[in-house]
Amino acid sequence: MLEASGLVDVKTFDNESYPGTAIHEMGTAHMGKDQKTSVLNKQN
């Protein structure tokens, strides 16, 4: 897809990320019971 859009020298990268090490530290959606303080309910 990248090459089809015109990019060149596209290479793969594997930094040996293991489960639990690739967390999202920014950008969260609070889950909870109260609609005033939560974006998602407890089931997402």
Side-chain angles (χ1 to χ4, degrees), residues 10-33:
V10 177
K11 296 180 178 30
T12 60
F13 176 74
D14 183 7
N15 63 354
E16 298 182 16
S17 178
Y18 300 99
T21 61
I23 60 172
H24 297 280
E25 295 177 344
M26 297 175 62
T28 62
H30 185 257
M31 293 184 279
K33 295 178 183 178

Side-chain angles (χ1 to χ4, degrees), residues 1-13:
M1 191 166 47
L2 296 172
E3 290 171 339
S5 66
L7 294 172
V8 294
D9 293 329
V10 177
K11 296 180 178 30
T12 60
F13 176 74

